[in-house]
Amino acid sequence: MHAELELGLERRIGKRSAAVIEKHLGITTVGGLLNYFPRRYLSRGELTPISEVPLDEEVTLIARVISNSTRAMRARRGSLTDVVISDDAGTAGSGRTGGGLPGTLKVSFFNGFRAKAELQPGRRAMFSGKVTRYGGSLGLTNPDFLLLDEDPETPGLDPEKLAAMPIPVYPATAKLTSWSIQKVISTLLDTLELEALGDPLPAEIAAREKFLPVADAYRLIHAPQTPADWQRARDRFRYQEALVLQSALARRRAQLAAEEATARRPAPNGLLPAFDRQLPFTLTAGQAAVGKTLSEELAQDSPMNRLLQGEVGSGKTIVALRAMLQVVDAGGQAALLAPTEVLAAQHYESIRRTLGPLSRDGMLGGFGPDAVQVTLLTGSMPTAARKQAMLDAASGTAGIVIGTHALLSETVSFYDLGLIVVDEQHRFGVEQRDALRAKASKPPHLLVMTATPIPRTVAMTVFGDLETSVLDELPAGRAPISTHVVGLAEHPAWAGRIWSRSREEIDAGHQVYVVCPKIGEDDDGDFTPGEAEPSAADLEGENGARELASVTGVVEHLRDEPALAGVPVAPLHGRQDPALKSETMASFTANQTKLLVSTTVIEVGVDVHNATLMVILDADRFGISQLHQLRGRVGRGGLPGTCLLVTTLEPGHPSRRRLDAVAATTDGFELSQEDLKLRREGDILGASQSGGRSTLKLLRVLEHEDVIARARKDAQRIVAADPTLAGRPLLAAAIDEYLNPEKEAFLERG
Ligand code: ADP
Ligand code: MG
């Protein structure tokens, strides 16, 4: 990076301003402030529609003063100045201002002498503060304001031009207004020699895209004369952001590929061919194709780094197991990492079952001499069992080790770890992948699996350091799942029908899942830490006044439900003792428990073929992809599955649209697009993105697919030609800063 950008701010804007900026924005360097871009732009000639201003956030808006009155306060000394401001939408607008006129806002100032004098009717001003609602009307209390009509900075400018001039709006804080930030940045722009900065974008790309030179772009993003100015500047910086991100990923991919791994070649007389011979079904074409890719990559002496995306039920586990067997055949060990204990235990059981005589668990006989030992290792195992499992992993006795986060702990080591499989990736970030990789003496091969279909650009952004394979077909004979929204608001009688419907399934020999949003009557649910999915309450700012179904409450209720008399019902949730949890799962898998009432602990991966009905209570409390995952638990054994999305919300409630979307399609990809639209960007990237990366600034993964795709192509070309980016120091520096934004602050203090 250019040395100028790393310079301390006080050197360019003075100690006092620098101290203010550091205090309120945490920015200490020239580059930091230069890259603090406006969030949006107001048009000087237009008033901000008041009905669109968000509540309870720091906002900056332009309005016209309608009235101004001052009175003495009754209870204490001082005066109160009330100013009514408007967006000129007047009575025509359909603002949400209950009591007052549509499009008006009441602004109150305590001892507001300047407001009293300056905010005269007819004046236009910019206001900055938090809009709140009291009584029926919207208000602002003691906001900062700036009169617009007599702009001292632009004397003699023709009024039409002035009216068109955009005003940048910076992300402001309660103590530092957008226009104060603008002023400081304008000082900074005046003192810098922008032309000398140098451009992290390669010249040929800037020319191809007809981008503004970097100096002009900085000027125009902060001080545009016309809307076209900031748009051009923003296009450039957005692309730059995409290129920096994609180059970082491409470089990481190149670094990983350049590492040396142990080749794990297939063995003609090994466990894998024996396993394939005993497989009770034929692999789907997709499973066979992905299997071939994995087999070839495992046989290379550079590490495989692959993401396997597959719809719920597409049969990813078999694909992973076959890869693990190839590694075991070659003398290595394989680790399978699951996000929850329930899922780890389930994988352990089902993998041993699938392997049959090819597996041994170290206790029972009846296996061939070459059988592989499958070992479970979780944090909640009794100490003795865990110690034994750790010993087996370290000595190499265990060929396949299945576990949770416990596998990441420092005390766990392997004899010769050749392959790591991470199941249901969306809960494992880059750091965890690296922690696992560190457990092998040479870099192991890595297979990451995810059941949440990821839109292309998200995959490119979040998993851009991995190659991708997709399983897009379900095994033959998979029965369709029909999904229905059960609206109790309009059909209260259906509440009883849910349980008689459950009884019908059970009488036919099948089993039922009932999922609740809460564990007990008074808690917030069973959420895995780091879960990416926001709850419906997060999405809507609802505060949960409704009585929601809970596991304990429903189990209680079902005890007296005549339709289910005599049916073995069991609860399952994250707060239970692990031993009880696995006992319950085992009893359900063995078809002893007929109806399982649980939280979302069964969300991922649980595989009980005999279950045919999934009842989700207060389904509106769950996100789209969660619902899709949940219903993927039924319809697995060739028996048609049914999913009932039960809700007490009125038809037309925004949350019911999510349910309608889930009922309308079983295409996970379509649903994940839908889902992303409802989420905030940070939620998409936040959970999976780690390693100190800052969040995206100008890039939106859904909107800017073409920018991301173009930047990715460029990045691949650049990194292929120059893997360490030695010839592109400015780009390399921009990547470093992106990957480690704290670094500059650190350098500054150190
Ligand atoms: P997911 O991709 O959701 O993890 P699983 O690996 O759990 O799916 O597979 C779902 C079910 O489908 C399992 O019971 C598995 O044994 C079965 N299965 C996998 N592949 C096939 C196939 N080719 N034909 C029939 N059944 C299959
Ligand atoms: Mg799975």
Side-chain angles (χ1 to χ4, degrees):
M1 194 186 316
H2 195 278
E4 179 70 33
L5 293 180
E6 290 184 31
L7 208 61
L9 261 180
E10 70 283 355
R11 304 279 293 277
R12 288 290 172 263
I13 60 171
K15 260 208 166 76
R16 270 187 58 197
S17 297
V20 170
I21 293 291
E22 173 164 17
K23 175 155 179 243
H24 295 291
L25 304 181
I27 294 173
T28 57
T29 62
V30 167
L33 190 58
L34 201 54
N35 287 304
Y36 194 73
F37 295 152
R39 191 205 307 262
R40 63 202 173 89
Y41 299 83
L42 293 177
S43 154
R44 195 172 293 253
E46 283 168 30
L47 306 182
T48 314
I50 285 173
S51 63
E52 287 164 24
V53 170
L55 283 178
D56 298 322
E57 277 176 37
E58 292 298 328
V59 295
T60 302
L61 59 98
I62 299 177
R64 186 186 309 283
V65 177
I66 296 186
S67 67
N68 182 328
S69 63
T70 299
R71 59 197 153 91
M73 277 189 279
R74 242 172 283 148
R76 49 187 171 122
R77 287 161 66 96
S79 67
L80 192 63
T81 299
D82 282 330
V83 174
V84 176
I85 59 175
S86 151
D87 58 11
D88 281 0
T91 45
S94 60
R96 51 166 185 214
T97 43
L101 283 174
T104 64
L105 204 63
K106 186 172 150 191
V107 191
S108 311
F109 296 89
F110 300 107
N111 295 329
F113 304 114
R114 191 166 74 90
K116 181 182 173 195
E118 294 183 357
L119 290 176
Q120 291 305 316
R123 301 303 295 267
R124 285 180 327 119
M126 194 155 42
F127 296 85
S128 175
K130 213 177 261 179
V131 176
T132 49
R133 181 200 294 275
Y134 25 50
S137 50
L138 299 179
L140 265 174
T141 305
N142 287 336
D144 262 300
F145 65 91
L146 180 73
L147 291 178
L148 281 183
D149 306 275
E150 48 199 44
D151 211 318
E153 287 162 42
T154 50
L157 196 67
D158 119 49
E160 225 167 276
K161 254 199 186 145
L162 183 62
M165 210 156 111
I167 301 177
V169 178
Y170 290 91
T173 69
K175 291 276 163 58
L176 191 62
T177 61
S178 171
W179 54 87
S180 317
I181 298 171
Q182 183 188 0
K183 223 163 162 188
V184 176
I185 290 182
S186 142
T187 310
L188 180 68
L189 290 175
D190 289 344
T191 57
L192 285 186
E193 210 199 314
L194 291 170
E195 267 67 21
L197 282 185
D199 190 348
L201 274 190
E204 71 276 11
I205 294 177
R208 182 194 73 203
E209 302 276 337
K210 303 197 174 56
F211 282 142
L212 289 168
V214 68
D216 293 348
Y218 274 125
R219 261 182 225 113
L220 294 184
I221 203 157
H222 289 298
Q225 303 287 316
T226 67
D229 284 346
W230 64 257
Q231 283 156 6
R232 289 189 65 196
R234 200 149 77 170
D235 283 349
R236 188 216 135 84
F237 286 120
R238 176 178 293 141
Y239 187 87
Q240 181 173 323
E241 183 174 359
L243 186 74
V244 166
L245 170 58
Q246 291 301 328
S247 301
L249 292 166
R251 197 177 61 173
R252 181 177 156 94
R253 210 161 47 224
Q255 278 161 356
L256 292 177
E259 288 179 339
E260 203 178 308
T262 307
R264 312 286 179 173
R265 298 196 183 81
N269 296 314
L271 290 167
L272 177 55
F275 176 74
D276 283 346
R277 280 193 298 275
Q278 69 166 50
L279 208 58
F281 45 72
T282 33
L283 296 177
T284 64
Q287 284 172 319
V290 174
K292 184 158 173 284
T293 306
L294 298 185
S295 173
E296 285 165 6
E297 289 186 352
L298 291 172
Q300 305 286 323
D301 51 15
S302 66
M304 171 176 90
N305 283 291
R306 190 161 280 280
L307 173 71
L308 175 56
Q309 283 194 60
E311 182 62 88
V312 190
S314 58
K316 294 182 290 292
T317 316
I318 294 289
V319 172
L321 180 56
R322 293 185 66 251
M324 293 194 273
L325 289 175
Q326 176 169 330
V327 170
V328 170
D329 281 343
Q333 292 168 287
L336 172 60
L337 198 56
T340 64
E341 299 226 342
V342 168
L343 192 53
Q346 168 105 23
H347 271 316
Y348 174 65
E349 296 300 336
S350 80
I351 283 178
R352 281 194 318 159
R353 209 175 335 114
T354 317
L355 285 172
L358 301 178
S359 88
R360 64 188 151 106
D361 58 14
M363 283 178 278
L364 303 164
F367 44 82
D370 302 325
V372 57
Q373 178 173 320
V374 182
T375 296
L376 178 68
L377 178 51
T378 65
S380 67
M381 279 164 63
T383 314
R386 197 173 68 230
K387 280 212 169 115
Q388 185 60 51
M390 281 166 55
L391 208 59
D392 289 352
S395 67
T397 312
I400 294 177
V401 182
I402 299 172
T404 52
H405 285 81
L407 285 184
L408 297 172
S409 91
E410 270 171 33
T411 49
V412 176
S413 63
F414 291 84
Y415 179 70
D416 179 14
L417 183 57
L419 169 66
I420 297 165
V421 179
V422 180
D423 194 16
E424 313 296 356
Q425 151 76 24
H426 56 287
R427 294 172 196 188
F428 282 104
V430 174
E431 269 162 13
Q432 280 120 331
R433 279 186 243 154
D434 283 347
L436 259 183
R437 289 160 46 85
K439 297 208 171 289
S441 47
K442 271 186 179 181
H445 300 282
L446 176 69
L447 176 65
V448 171
M449 307 198 288
T450 170
T452 311
I454 308 168
R456 209 165 71 95
T457 45
V458 178
M460 284 192 291
T461 310
V462 181
F463 303 112
D465 55 340
L466 305 175
E467 312 291 329
T468 305
S469 297
V470 178
L471 279 183
D472 48 13
E473 88 195 281
L474 297 185
R478 189 54 54 82
I481 302 169
S482 54
T483 305
H484 309 278
V485 179
V486 179
L488 296 183
E490 66 271 32
H491 302 290
W494 285 0
R497 178 75 188 113
I498 297 167
W499 307 122
S500 47
R501 181 77 182 71
S502 301
R503 183 58 186 246
E504 286 162 24
E505 290 299 324
I506 292 163
D507 284 345
H510 306 146
Q511 288 163 279
V512 178
Y513 291 105
V514 177
V515 176
C516 308
K518 294 200 309 178
I519 297 175
E521 307 279 78
D522 43 31
D523 76 348
D524 299 330
D526 200 11
F527 296 109
T528 322
E531 188 158 344
E533 192 124 17
S535 72
D538 292 339
L539 291 169
E540 280 144 33
E542 182 188 332
N543 48 23
R546 277 185 294 150
E547 192 55 50
L548 296 173
S550 69
V551 174
T552 52
V554 169
V555 167
E556 191 95 337
H557 171 80
L558 294 187
R559 219 169 272 151
D560 305 324
E561 170 59 50
L564 292 172
V567 169
V569 172
L572 179 73
H573 58 76
R575 224 177 281 157
Q576 283 168 329
D577 183 66
L580 176 60
K581 271 191 281 185
S582 39
E583 215 173 280
T584 305
M585 255 340 273
S587 154
F588 191 66
T589 309
N591 196 6
Q592 283 154 358
T593 294
K594 299 292 181 181
L595 187 148
L596 188 69
V597 183
S598 76
T599 55
T600 52
V601 288
I602 57 148
E603 178 189 343
V604 284
V606 169
D607 190 31
V608 175
H609 286 195
N610 196 42
T612 49
L613 177 63
M614 165 71 61
V615 178
I616 306 177
L617 298 175
D618 291 312
D620 50 87
R621 302 294 292 183
F622 301 102
I624 285 183
S625 65
Q626 228 175 352
L627 293 170
H628 182 57
Q629 285 279 327
L630 282 169
R631 81 173 148 185
R633 303 304 115 217
V634 295
R636 302 201 132 217
L639 302 161
T642 305
C643 174
L644 303 181
L645 305 174
V646 183
T647 177
T648 56
L649 294 181
E650 303 286 332
H653 188 286
S655 287
R656 279 199 51 169
R657 252 172 258 150
R658 274 204 307 277
L659 305 187
D660 294 336
V662 174
T665 178
T666 50
D667 182 337
F669 190 82
E670 209 175 291
L671 285 173
S672 79
Q673 290 275 12
E674 194 64 35
D675 194 15
L676 285 178
K677 284 189 209 143
L678 292 172
R679 295 193 196 193
R680 278 163 298 198
E681 196 89 9
D683 296 324
I684 303 169
L685 299 177
S688 341
Q689 208 182 18
S690 60
R693 287 189 217 170
S694 60
T695 45
L696 299 178
K697 276 211 267 194
L698 297 174
L699 214 51
R700 296 289 166 266
V701 285
L702 286 182
E703 279 166 52
H704 304 127
E705 172 159 2
D706 63 320
V707 174
I708 296 175
R710 256 183 303 148
R712 181 174 171 86
K713 250 195 179 155
D714 284 334
Q716 279 168 340
R717 194 169 36 75
I718 292 169
V719 170
D722 181 3
T724 61
L725 297 177
R728 303 206 183 261
L730 291 171
L731 180 59
I735 293 174
D736 286 346
E737 201 205 318
Y738 175 78
L739 292 178
N740 191 3
E742 296 84 34
K743 193 198 66 178
E744 56 166 336
F746 174 76
L747 282 180
E748 205 48 39
R749 291 193 197 100

